[in-house]
């Protein structure tokens, strides 16, 4: 089951997410360990934290989450709707 959730976290965003995601640099966010940390918060599972900002504790630094939240649409929605990271800048 962990593998399928991790694969979903990696493959689904290719079509849906617009936030930052360099799949080669975002293993803390997309790994099974990372997914099982932030997914309960995103999905609002019973017993999970109800503070959206707690997803930042799922990685070693907030910068990593802010550079990788676009790797999963649900995570991206949680972060952008709660203004947890600065908006990504458009590159020229």
């Amino acid at each position: 089951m962990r593998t399928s959730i991790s694969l979903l976290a990696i493959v689904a965003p290719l079509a849906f997410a617009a936030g930052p995601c360099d799949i080669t640099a975002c293993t803390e966010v997309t790994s099974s360990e990372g997914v099982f940390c932030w997914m309960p918060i995103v999905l609002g599972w019973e017993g999970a934290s109800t503070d959206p900002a707690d997803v930042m504790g799922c990685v070693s630094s907030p910068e990593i989450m802010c550079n990788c939240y676009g790797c999963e649409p649900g995570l991206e929605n949680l972060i952008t709707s709660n203004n947890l990271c600065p908006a990504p800048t458009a590159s020229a």
Side-chain angles (χ1 to χ4, degrees):
M1 173 129 184
R2 287 183 183 199
T3 302
S4 62
I5 289 174
S6 191
L7 276 173
L8 180 61
I10 293 169
V11 176
L14 298 177
F16 305 110
C21 178
D22 175 353
I23 206 68
T24 62
C26 294
T27 56
E28 275 190 73
V29 174
T30 60
S31 70
S32 294
E33 187 176 324
V35 170
F36 277 96
C37 179
W38 56 257
M39 181 141 333
I41 299 168
V42 169
L43 297 178
W45 288 352
E46 185 176 336
S49 172
T50 56
D51 183 355
D54 285 347
V55 298
M56 298 307 218
C58 293
V59 292
S60 59
S61 73
E63 291 79 19
I64 290 173
M65 187 62 80
C66 289
N67 288 325
C68 299
Y69 67 84
C71 292
E72 204 286 328
L75 183 61
E76 178 177 29
N77 184 51
L78 180 96
I79 286 180
T80 57
S81 65
N82 290 283
N83 297 314
L84 298 176
C85 293
T89 57
S91 55

